[in-house]
Amino acid sequence: FSEDVSKLYRDFYKDSPFIRITPKDPKFLPNPKYVVGSNYCDIGVVTDEEHKRTVVFSAIDNLVKGASGQAIQCMNLMFGLKEETGLEALPLYPA
């Protein structure tokens, strides 16, 4: 069950340059310190088999991935540039 949900996310976002799906292990849940200063969105999926529920966590830097980064990403697409142009900065605290 949990592998199915993680696989759905991985398949859906496979061509998205700024989406990273974290490993299934709960110790690798998305953490804001791993995205600060970047345009990345880290997504983690944890499933509780016993209670049949899934929780999805995400972490973004709300300045870069938020309004300003999203504006640059949209402008790049509007002007036919590579989506990643100007947004390739690594997080300040690399994983």
Side-chain angles (χ1 to χ4, degrees):
F1 176 73
S2 62
E3 194 59 42
D4 294 342
V5 176
S6 286
K7 184 175 178 347
L8 285 172
Y9 273 87
R10 286 184 194 288
D11 290 346
F12 185 82
Y13 288 112
K14 70 179 181 268
D15 296 323
S16 299
F18 297 113
I19 304 295
R20 302 184 300 192
I21 309 300
T22 62
K24 206 173 110 178
D25 189 330
K27 70 181 176 186
F28 292 111
L29 286 177
N31 187 326
K33 74 179 180 182
Y34 296 129
V35 295
V36 170
S38 76
N39 196 50
Y40 287 107
C41 173
D42 287 354
I43 298 174
V45 179
V46 176
T47 301
D48 179 355
E49 300 285 345
E50 181 182 345
H51 295 99
K52 302 234 185 277
R53 65 180 162 199
T54 299
V55 180
V56 178
F57 297 89
S58 66
I60 65 168
D61 177 331
N62 67 338
L63 293 177
V64 181
K65 185 61 180 173
S68 61
Q70 194 62 41
I72 293 169
Q73 198 170 344
C74 289
M75 181 194 70
N76 289 342
L77 294 172
M78 286 174 51
F79 287 100
L81 302 170
K82 282 180 46 186
E83 187 175 352
E84 302 90 349
T85 301
L87 297 169
E88 296 95 348
L90 293 174
L92 298 176
Y93 185 91

